[in-house]
PDB file of all heavy atoms in Angstrom:
ATOM      1  N   MET A  15     117.222  90.013  90.196  1.00  0.00           N
ATOM      2  CA  MET A  15     116.320  89.440  91.188  1.00  0.00           C
ATOM      3  C   MET A  15     115.869  90.537  92.157  1.00  0.00           C
ATOM      4  O   MET A  15     116.690  91.283  92.683  1.00  0.00           O
ATOM      5  CB  MET A  15     117.007  88.308  91.945  1.00  0.00           C
ATOM      6  CG  MET A  15     116.143  87.669  93.035  1.00  0.00           C
ATOM      7  SD  MET A  15     117.008  86.365  93.927  1.00  0.00           S
ATOM      8  CE  MET A  15     117.242  85.189  92.606  1.00  0.00           C
ATOM      9  N   ASN A  16     114.559  90.603  92.395  1.00  0.00           N
ATOM     10  CA  ASN A  16     114.027  91.587  93.326  1.00  0.00           C
ATOM     11  C   ASN A  16     114.236  91.130  94.760  1.00  0.00           C
ATOM     12  O   ASN A  16     114.033  89.958  95.082  1.00  0.00           O
ATOM     13  CB  ASN A  16     112.533  91.792  93.086  1.00  0.00           C
ATOM     14  CG  ASN A  16     112.251  92.535  91.805  1.00  0.00           C
ATOM     15  OD1 ASN A  16     113.122  93.192  91.265  1.00  0.00           O
ATOM     16  ND2 ASN A  16     111.029  92.425  91.322  1.00  0.00           N
ATOM     17  N   PRO A  17     114.629  92.028  95.654  1.00  0.00           N
ATOM     18  CA  PRO A  17     114.759  91.645  97.057  1.00  0.00           C
ATOM     19  C   PRO A  17     113.392  91.438  97.675  1.00  0.00           C
ATOM     20  O   PRO A  17     112.379  91.906  97.166  1.00  0.00           O
ATOM     21  CB  PRO A  17     115.480  92.848  97.675  1.00  0.00           C
ATOM     22  CG  PRO A  17     115.082  93.997  96.811  1.00  0.00           C
ATOM     23  CD  PRO A  17     114.962  93.444  95.416  1.00  0.00           C
ATOM     24  N   ASP A  18     113.351  90.738  98.805  1.00  0.00           N
ATOM     25  CA  ASP A  18     112.112  90.546  99.556  1.00  0.00           C
ATOM     26  C   ASP A  18     111.777  91.850 100.259  1.00  0.00           C
ATOM     27  O   ASP A  18     112.441  92.230 101.225  1.00  0.00           O
ATOM     28  CB  ASP A  18     112.288  89.409 100.553  1.00  0.00           C
ATOM     29  CG  ASP A  18     111.059  89.220 101.428  1.00  0.00           C
ATOM     30  OD1 ASP A  18     109.992  89.778 101.100  1.00  0.00           O
ATOM     31  OD2 ASP A  18     111.166  88.527 102.459  1.00  0.00           O
ATOM     32  N   ILE A  19     110.769  92.550  99.770  1.00  0.00           N
ATOM     33  CA  ILE A  19     110.460  93.869 100.313  1.00  0.00           C
ATOM     34  C   ILE A  19     110.053  93.782 101.778  1.00  0.00           C
ATOM     35  O   ILE A  19     110.320  94.706 102.563  1.00  0.00           O
ATOM     36  CB  ILE A  19     109.347  94.563  99.479  1.00  0.00           C
ATOM     37  CG1 ILE A  19     109.206  96.035  99.890  1.00  0.00           C
ATOM     38  CG2 ILE A  19     108.037  93.807  99.602  1.00  0.00           C
ATOM     39  CD1 ILE A  19     110.452  96.854  99.663  1.00  0.00           C
ATOM     40  N   HIS A  20     109.453  92.672 102.192  1.00  0.00           N
ATOM     41  CA  HIS A  20     109.050  92.534 103.593  1.00  0.00           C
ATOM     42  C   HIS A  20     110.260  92.594 104.520  1.00  0.00           C
ATOM     43  O   HIS A  20     110.177  93.138 105.629  1.00  0.00           O
ATOM     44  CB  HIS A  20     108.295  91.216 103.803  1.00  0.00           C
ATOM     45  CG  HIS A  20     107.007  91.124 103.051  1.00  0.00           C
ATOM     46  ND1 HIS A  20     106.945  90.742 101.728  1.00  0.00           N
ATOM     47  CD2 HIS A  20     105.722  91.390 103.439  1.00  0.00           C
ATOM     48  CE1 HIS A  20     105.684  90.766 101.328  1.00  0.00           C
ATOM     49  NE2 HIS A  20     104.928  91.153 102.337  1.00  0.00           N
ATOM     50  N   SER A  21     111.385  92.056 104.077  1.00  0.00           N
ATOM     51  CA  SER A  21     112.585  92.058 104.913  1.00  0.00           C
ATOM     52  C   SER A  21     113.239  93.433 104.988  1.00  0.00           C
ATOM     53  O   SER A  21     114.103  93.662 105.841  1.00  0.00           O
ATOM     54  CB  SER A  21     113.594  91.038 104.373  1.00  0.00           C
ATOM     55  OG  SER A  21     114.116  91.466 103.117  1.00  0.00           O
ATOM     56  N   LEU A  22     112.843  94.344 104.104  1.00  0.00           N
ATOM     57  CA  LEU A  22     113.441  95.674 104.060  1.00  0.00           C
ATOM     58  C   LEU A  22     112.634  96.715 104.832  1.00  0.00           C
ATOM     59  O   LEU A  22     113.144  97.791 105.126  1.00  0.00           O
ATOM     60  CB  LEU A  22     113.599  96.134 102.608  1.00  0.00           C
ATOM     61  CG  LEU A  22     114.439  95.245 101.693  1.00  0.00           C
ATOM     62  CD1 LEU A  22     114.489  95.825 100.287  1.00  0.00           C
ATOM     63  CD2 LEU A  22     115.850  95.060 102.244  1.00  0.00           C
ATOM     64  N   ILE A  23     111.382  96.406 105.140  1.00  0.00           N
ATOM     65  CA  ILE A  23     110.527  97.363 105.847  1.00  0.00           C
ATOM     66  C   ILE A  23     110.842  97.326 107.342  1.00  0.00           C
ATOM     67  O   ILE A  23     110.790  96.273 107.977  1.00  0.00           O
ATOM     68  CB  ILE A  23     109.048  97.061 105.590  1.00  0.00           C
ATOM     69  CG1 ILE A  23     108.721  97.290 104.109  1.00  0.00           C
ATOM     70  CG2 ILE A  23     108.161  97.948 106.466  1.00  0.00           C
ATOM     71  CD1 ILE A  23     107.335  96.852 103.720  1.00  0.00           C
ATOM     72  N   ILE A  24     111.159  98.491 107.895  1.00  0.00           N
ATOM     73  CA  ILE A  24     111.530  98.604 109.308  1.00  0.00           C
ATOM     74  C   ILE A  24     110.356  99.093 110.151  1.00  0.00           C
ATOM     75  O   ILE A  24     110.162  98.658 111.280  1.00  0.00           O
ATOM     76  CB  ILE A  24     112.730  99.555 109.450  1.00  0.00           C
ATOM     77  CG1 ILE A  24     113.948  98.939 108.759  1.00  0.00           C
ATOM     78  CG2 ILE A  24     113.037  99.865 110.917  1.00  0.00           C
ATOM     79  CD1 ILE A  24     115.136  99.872 108.689  1.00  0.00           C
ATOM     80  N   TYR A  25     109.555  99.988 109.571  1.00  0.00           N
ATOM     81  CA  TYR A  25     108.422 100.557 110.310  1.00  0.00           C
ATOM     82  C   TYR A  25     107.354 100.977 109.316  1.00  0.00           C
ATOM     83  O   TYR A  25     107.662 101.475 108.226  1.00  0.00           O
ATOM     84  CB  TYR A  25     108.870 101.772 111.133  1.00  0.00           C
ATOM     85  CG  TYR A  25     107.729 102.497 111.810  1.00  0.00           C
ATOM     86  CD1 TYR A  25     107.256 102.075 113.047  1.00  0.00           C
ATOM     87  CD2 TYR A  25     107.124 103.600 111.207  1.00  0.00           C
ATOM     88  CE1 TYR A  25     106.205 102.740 113.669  1.00  0.00           C
ATOM     89  CE2 TYR A  25     106.076 104.266 111.816  1.00  0.00           C
ATOM     90  CZ  TYR A  25     105.619 103.832 113.046  1.00  0.00           C
ATOM     91  OH  TYR A  25     104.571 104.474 113.655  1.00  0.00           O
ATOM     92  N   GLU A  26     106.087 100.785 109.714  1.00  0.00           N
ATOM     93  CA  GLU A  26     104.974 101.220 108.861  1.00  0.00           C
ATOM     94  C   GLU A  26     103.777 101.564 109.723  1.00  0.00           C
ATOM     95  O   GLU A  26     103.470 100.884 110.704  1.00  0.00           O
ATOM     96  CB  GLU A  26     104.593 100.119 107.870  1.00  0.00           C
ATOM     97  CG  GLU A  26     103.467 100.535 106.922  1.00  0.00           C
ATOM     98  CD  GLU A  26     103.041  99.433 105.971  1.00  0.00           C
ATOM     99  OE1 GLU A  26     103.515  98.284 106.129  1.00  0.00           O
ATOM    100  OE2 GLU A  26     102.216  99.722 105.079  1.00  0.00           O
ATOM    101  N   ASP A  27     103.094 102.659 109.369  1.00  0.00           N
ATOM    102  CA  ASP A  27     101.806 102.997 109.962  1.00  0.00           C
ATOM    103  C   ASP A  27     100.968 103.642 108.850  1.00  0.00           C
ATOM    104  O   ASP A  27     101.409 103.680 107.698  1.00  0.00           O
ATOM    105  CB  ASP A  27     101.976 103.876 111.211  1.00  0.00           C
ATOM    106  CG  ASP A  27     102.555 105.260 110.924  1.00  0.00           C
ATOM    107  OD1 ASP A  27     102.387 105.784 109.804  1.00  0.00           O
ATOM    108  OD2 ASP A  27     103.193 105.833 111.837  1.00  0.00           O
ATOM    109  N   PRO A  28      99.778 104.140 109.125  1.00  0.00           N
ATOM    110  CA  PRO A  28      98.949 104.681 108.041  1.00  0.00           C
ATOM    111  C   PRO A  28      99.537 105.897 107.327  1.00  0.00           C
ATOM    112  O   PRO A  28      99.073 106.255 106.240  1.00  0.00           O
ATOM    113  CB  PRO A  28      97.645 105.053 108.758  1.00  0.00           C
ATOM    114  CG  PRO A  28      97.578 104.111 109.914  1.00  0.00           C
ATOM    115  CD  PRO A  28      98.995 103.968 110.377  1.00  0.00           C
ATOM    116  N   SER A  29     100.555 106.551 107.914  1.00  0.00           N
ATOM    117  CA  SER A  29     101.094 107.772 107.320  1.00  0.00           C
ATOM    118  C   SER A  29     102.450 107.610 106.658  1.00  0.00           C
ATOM    119  O   SER A  29     102.748 108.294 105.672  1.00  0.00           O
ATOM    120  CB  SER A  29     101.206 108.872 108.395  1.00  0.00           C
ATOM    121  OG  SER A  29      99.943 109.178 108.938  1.00  0.00           O
ATOM    122  N   VAL A  30     103.303 106.753 107.206  1.00  0.00           N
ATOM    123  CA  VAL A  30     104.680 106.644 106.717  1.00  0.00           C
ATOM    124  C   VAL A  30     105.110 105.195 106.621  1.00  0.00           C
ATOM    125  O   VAL A  30     104.520 104.306 107.256  1.00  0.00           O
ATOM    126  CB  VAL A  30     105.679 107.404 107.622  1.00  0.00           C
ATOM    127  CG1 VAL A  30     105.337 108.880 107.712  1.00  0.00           C
ATOM    128  CG2 VAL A  30     105.747 106.773 109.012  1.00  0.00           C
ATOM    129  N   ILE A  31     106.151 104.987 105.852  1.00  0.00           N
ATOM    130  CA  ILE A  31     106.804 103.685 105.781  1.00  0.00           C
ATOM    131  C   ILE A  31     108.308 103.930 105.708  1.00  0.00           C
ATOM    132  O   ILE A  31     108.779 104.742 104.917  1.00  0.00           O
ATOM    133  CB  ILE A  31     106.296 102.863 104.570  1.00  0.00           C
ATOM    134  CG1 ILE A  31     106.869 101.456 104.587  1.00  0.00           C
ATOM    135  CG2 ILE A  31     106.562 103.556 103.254  1.00  0.00           C
ATOM    136  CD1 ILE A  31     106.113 100.496 103.658  1.00  0.00           C
ATOM    137  N   VAL A  32     109.047 103.286 106.597  1.00  0.00           N
ATOM    138  CA  VAL A  32     110.500 103.421 106.675  1.00  0.00           C
ATOM    139  C   VAL A  32     111.123 102.098 106.271  1.00  0.00           C
ATOM    140  O   VAL A  32     110.693 101.029 106.737  1.00  0.00           O
ATOM    141  CB  VAL A  32     110.955 103.799 108.102  1.00  0.00           C
ATOM    142  CG1 VAL A  32     112.478 103.889 108.182  1.00  0.00           C
ATOM    143  CG2 VAL A  32     110.318 105.117 108.531  1.00  0.00           C
ATOM    144  N   CYS A  33     112.108 102.166 105.395  1.00  0.00           N
ATOM    145  CA  CYS A  33     112.711 100.928 104.917  1.00  0.00           C
ATOM    146  C   CYS A  33     114.216 101.095 104.714  1.00  0.00           C
ATOM    147  O   CYS A  33     114.742 102.218 104.737  1.00  0.00           O
ATOM    148  CB  CYS A  33     112.052 100.469 103.620  1.00  0.00           C
ATOM    149  SG  CYS A  33     112.292 101.610 102.255  1.00  0.00           S
ATOM    150  N   ARG A  34     114.876  99.974 104.550  1.00  0.00           N
ATOM    151  CA  ARG A  34     116.302  99.955 104.233  1.00  0.00           C
ATOM    152  C   ARG A  34     116.470  99.702 102.737  1.00  0.00           C
ATOM    153  O   ARG A  34     116.002  98.693 102.221  1.00  0.00           O
ATOM    154  CB  ARG A  34     117.014  98.859 105.027  1.00  0.00           C
ATOM    155  CG  ARG A  34     118.507  98.725 104.699  1.00  0.00           C
ATOM    156  CD  ARG A  34     119.164  97.630 105.514  1.00  0.00           C
ATOM    157  NE  ARG A  34     118.614  96.314 105.232  1.00  0.00           N
ATOM    158  CZ  ARG A  34     119.014  95.535 104.209  1.00  0.00           C
ATOM    159  NH1 ARG A  34     119.943  95.970 103.369  1.00  0.00           N
ATOM    160  NH2 ARG A  34     118.474  94.354 104.030  1.00  0.00           N
ATOM    161  N   LYS A  35     117.118 100.614 102.056  1.00  0.00           N
ATOM    162  CA  LYS A  35     117.396 100.434 100.635  1.00  0.00           C
ATOM    163  C   LYS A  35     118.735  99.711 100.466  1.00  0.00           C
ATOM    164  O   LYS A  35     119.759 100.198 100.944  1.00  0.00           O
ATOM    165  CB  LYS A  35     117.467 101.782  99.907  1.00  0.00           C
ATOM    166  CG  LYS A  35     117.646 101.627  98.390  1.00  0.00           C
ATOM    167  CD  LYS A  35     117.906 102.955  97.708  1.00  0.00           C
ATOM    168  CE  LYS A  35     119.375 103.304  97.684  1.00  0.00           C
ATOM    169  NZ  LYS A  35     120.210 102.384  96.863  1.00  0.00           N
ATOM    170  N   PRO A  36     118.744  98.573  99.790  1.00  0.00           N
ATOM    171  CA  PRO A  36     120.024  97.911  99.540  1.00  0.00           C
ATOM    172  C   PRO A  36     120.848  98.689  98.509  1.00  0.00           C
ATOM    173  O   PRO A  36     120.303  99.428  97.679  1.00  0.00           O
ATOM    174  CB  PRO A  36     119.615  96.542  98.977  1.00  0.00           C
ATOM    175  CG  PRO A  36     118.165  96.390  99.287  1.00  0.00           C
ATOM    176  CD  PRO A  36     117.607  97.774  99.320  1.00  0.00           C
ATOM    177  N   ALA A  37     122.148  98.538  98.567  1.00  0.00           N
ATOM    178  CA  ALA A  37     123.011  99.119  97.540  1.00  0.00           C
ATOM    179  C   ALA A  37     122.692  98.479  96.198  1.00  0.00           C
ATOM    180  O   ALA A  37     122.394  97.286  96.115  1.00  0.00           O
ATOM    181  CB  ALA A  37     124.475  98.888  97.900  1.00  0.00           C
ATOM    182  N   GLY A  38     122.720  99.281  95.143  1.00  0.00           N
ATOM    183  CA  GLY A  38     122.490  98.776  93.795  1.00  0.00           C
ATOM    184  C   GLY A  38     121.077  98.936  93.282  1.00  0.00           C
ATOM    185  O   GLY A  38     120.823  98.772  92.092  1.00  0.00           O
ATOM    186  N   ILE A  39     120.134  99.269  94.165  1.00  0.00           N
ATOM    187  CA  ILE A  39     118.738  99.477  93.764  1.00  0.00           C
ATOM    188  C   ILE A  39     118.432 100.966  93.828  1.00  0.00           C
ATOM    189  O   ILE A  39     118.667 101.606  94.859  1.00  0.00           O
ATOM    190  CB  ILE A  39     117.772  98.694  94.669  1.00  0.00           C
ATOM    191  CG1 ILE A  39     118.018  97.195  94.510  1.00  0.00           C
ATOM    192  CG2 ILE A  39     116.324  99.041  94.352  1.00  0.00           C
ATOM    193  CD1 ILE A  39     117.100  96.343  95.337  1.00  0.00           C
ATOM    194  N   PRO A  40     117.922 101.552  92.743  1.00  0.00           N
ATOM    195  CA  PRO A  40     117.606 102.984  92.786  1.00  0.00           C
ATOM    196  C   PRO A  40     116.417 103.281  93.685  1.00  0.00           C
ATOM    197  O   PRO A  40     115.554 102.419  93.894  1.00  0.00           O
ATOM    198  CB  PRO A  40     117.294 103.328  91.327  1.00  0.00           C
ATOM    199  CG  PRO A  40     116.903 102.027  90.696  1.00  0.00           C
ATOM    200  CD  PRO A  40     117.646 100.958  91.421  1.00  0.00           C
ATOM    201  N   THR A  41     116.378 104.489  94.218  1.00  0.00           N
ATOM    202  CA  THR A  41     115.212 104.918  94.979  1.00  0.00           C
ATOM    203  C   THR A  41     113.991 104.948  94.065  1.00  0.00           C
ATOM    204  O   THR A  41     112.925 104.445  94.419  1.00  0.00           O
ATOM    205  CB  THR A  41     115.445 106.313  95.581  1.00  0.00           C
ATOM    206  OG1 THR A  41     116.612 106.285  96.402  1.00  0.00           O
ATOM    207  CG2 THR A  41     114.241 106.755  96.407  1.00  0.00           C
ATOM    208  N   GLN A  42     114.157 105.539  92.886  1.00  0.00           N
ATOM    209  CA  GLN A  42     113.086 105.611  91.891  1.00  0.00           C
ATOM    210  C   GLN A  42     113.730 105.643  90.520  1.00  0.00           C
ATOM    211  O   GLN A  42     114.755 106.285  90.323  1.00  0.00           O
ATOM    212  CB  GLN A  42     112.228 106.845  92.119  1.00  0.00           C
ATOM    213  CG  GLN A  42     110.993 106.931  91.228  1.00  0.00           C
ATOM    214  CD  GLN A  42     110.122 108.115  91.602  1.00  0.00           C
ATOM    215  OE1 GLN A  42     110.598 109.154  92.044  1.00  0.00           O
ATOM    216  NE2 GLN A  42     108.814 107.974  91.433  1.00  0.00           N
ATOM    217  N   SER A  43     113.149 104.937  89.580  1.00  0.00           N
ATOM    218  CA  SER A  43     113.713 104.862  88.240  1.00  0.00           C
ATOM    219  C   SER A  43     112.644 105.184  87.206  1.00  0.00           C
ATOM    220  O   SER A  43     111.466 104.877  87.393  1.00  0.00           O
ATOM    221  CB  SER A  43     114.278 103.454  87.977  1.00  0.00           C
ATOM    222  OG  SER A  43     114.714 103.333  86.641  1.00  0.00           O
ATOM    223  N   SER A  44     113.067 105.811  86.113  1.00  0.00           N
ATOM    224  CA  SER A  44     112.146 106.111  85.014  1.00  0.00           C
ATOM    225  C   SER A  44     112.100 104.969  84.004  1.00  0.00           C
ATOM    226  O   SER A  44     111.315 105.011  83.062  1.00  0.00           O
ATOM    227  CB  SER A  44     112.576 107.402  84.307  1.00  0.00           C
ATOM    228  OG  SER A  44     113.894 107.281  83.810  1.00  0.00           O
ATOM    229  N   ARG A  45     112.939 103.970  84.206  1.00  0.00           N
ATOM    230  CA  ARG A  45     112.981 102.844  83.270  1.00  0.00           C
ATOM    231  C   ARG A  45     111.793 101.920  83.497  1.00  0.00           C
ATOM    232  O   ARG A  45     111.441 101.597  84.634  1.00  0.00           O
ATOM    233  CB  ARG A  45     114.277 102.061  83.436  1.00  0.00           C
ATOM    234  CG  ARG A  45     115.533 102.848  83.089  1.00  0.00           C
ATOM    235  CD  ARG A  45     116.784 102.090  83.467  1.00  0.00           C
ATOM    236  NE  ARG A  45     116.813 100.767  82.864  1.00  0.00           N
ATOM    237  CZ  ARG A  45     117.704  99.834  83.185  1.00  0.00           C
ATOM    238  NH1 ARG A  45     118.606 100.076  84.128  1.00  0.00           N
ATOM    239  NH2 ARG A  45     117.683  98.665  82.583  1.00  0.00           N
ATOM    240  N   ILE A  46     111.180 101.485  82.407  1.00  0.00           N
ATOM    241  CA  ILE A  46     110.031 100.584  82.483  1.00  0.00           C
ATOM    242  C   ILE A  46     110.483  99.240  83.037  1.00  0.00           C
ATOM    243  O   ILE A  46     111.515  98.696  82.650  1.00  0.00           O
ATOM    244  CB  ILE A  46     109.392 100.403  81.092  1.00  0.00           C
ATOM    245  CG1 ILE A  46     108.863 101.742  80.580  1.00  0.00           C
ATOM    246  CG2 ILE A  46     108.265  99.368  81.146  1.00  0.00           C
ATOM    247  CD1 ILE A  46     108.310 101.688  79.180  1.00  0.00           C
ATOM    248  N   ALA A  47     109.701  98.703  83.972  1.00  0.00           N
ATOM    249  CA  ALA A  47     109.946  97.402  84.593  1.00  0.00           C
ATOM    250  C   ALA A  47     111.232  97.368  85.413  1.00  0.00           C
ATOM    251  O   ALA A  47     111.754  96.310  85.719  1.00  0.00           O
ATOM    252  CB  ALA A  47     109.968  96.292  83.544  1.00  0.00           C
ATOM    253  N   ALA A  48     111.749  98.549  85.782  1.00  0.00           N
ATOM    254  CA  ALA A  48     112.954  98.596  86.594  1.00  0.00           C
ATOM    255  C   ALA A  48     112.622  98.224  88.032  1.00  0.00           C
ATOM    256  O   ALA A  48     111.527  98.487  88.528  1.00  0.00           O
ATOM    257  CB  ALA A  48     113.578  99.987  86.550  1.00  0.00           C
ATOM    258  N   SER A  49     113.568  97.591  88.701  1.00  0.00           N
ATOM    259  CA  SER A  49     113.407  97.251  90.105  1.00  0.00           C
ATOM    260  C   SER A  49     113.906  98.417  90.942  1.00  0.00           C
ATOM    261  O   SER A  49     115.109  98.646  91.059  1.00  0.00           O
ATOM    262  CB  SER A  49     114.206  95.977  90.432  1.00  0.00           C
ATOM    263  OG  SER A  49     114.120  95.681  91.802  1.00  0.00           O
ATOM    264  N   ASP A  50     112.993  99.210  91.478  1.00  0.00           N
ATOM    265  CA  ASP A  50     113.370 100.328  92.333  1.00  0.00           C
ATOM    266  C   ASP A  50     112.515 100.292  93.591  1.00  0.00           C
ATOM    267  O   ASP A  50     111.540  99.545  93.693  1.00  0.00           O
ATOM    268  CB  ASP A  50     113.240 101.660  91.601  1.00  0.00           C
ATOM    269  CG  ASP A  50     111.835 101.931  91.099  1.00  0.00           C
ATOM    270  OD1 ASP A  50     110.872 101.700  91.856  1.00  0.00           O
ATOM    271  OD2 ASP A  50     111.680 102.380  89.957  1.00  0.00           O
ATOM    272  N   MET A  51     112.886 101.088  94.592  1.00  0.00           N
ATOM    273  CA  MET A  51     112.193 101.034  95.866  1.00  0.00           C
ATOM    274  C   MET A  51     110.739 101.474  95.750  1.00  0.00           C
ATOM    275  O   MET A  51     109.853 100.888  96.389  1.00  0.00           O
ATOM    276  CB  MET A  51     112.927 101.905  96.889  1.00  0.00           C
ATOM    277  CG  MET A  51     114.310 101.394  97.266  1.00  0.00           C
ATOM    278  SD  MET A  51     114.324  99.681  97.866  1.00  0.00           S
ATOM    279  CE  MET A  51     113.306  99.814  99.338  1.00  0.00           C
ATOM    280  N   VAL A  52     110.466 102.488  94.941  1.00  0.00           N
ATOM    281  CA  VAL A  52     109.094 102.956  94.787  1.00  0.00           C
ATOM    282  C   VAL A  52     108.210 101.852  94.203  1.00  0.00           C
ATOM    283  O   VAL A  52     107.111 101.581  94.708  1.00  0.00           O
ATOM    284  CB  VAL A  52     109.047 104.222  93.907  1.00  0.00           C
ATOM    285  CG1 VAL A  52     107.603 104.563  93.530  1.00  0.00           C
ATOM    286  CG2 VAL A  52     109.683 105.395  94.631  1.00  0.00           C
TER     287      VAL A  52
END
């Protein structure tokens, strides 16, 4: 199950986005259809 990304975003403006990554989700994955932060 994918987490609610809106609940993970802490700050956003036109240049950056800061978020909280939950444990168990990769920052970025090469696997197709993988649930990762990117």
Side-chain angles (χ1 to χ4, degrees):
M15 179 181 296
N16 289 341
D18 176 14
I19 190 61
H20 296 83
S21 69
L22 302 179
I23 294 173
I24 295 173
Y25 174 85
E26 182 182 8
D27 66 27
S29 299
V30 301
I31 186 164
V32 178
C33 64
R34 177 180 63 84
K35 185 188 88 65
I39 296 181
T41 303
Q42 186 175 32
S43 175
S44 58
R45 296 172 55 190
I46 297 176
S49 177
D50 59 44
M51 293 305 298
V52 169

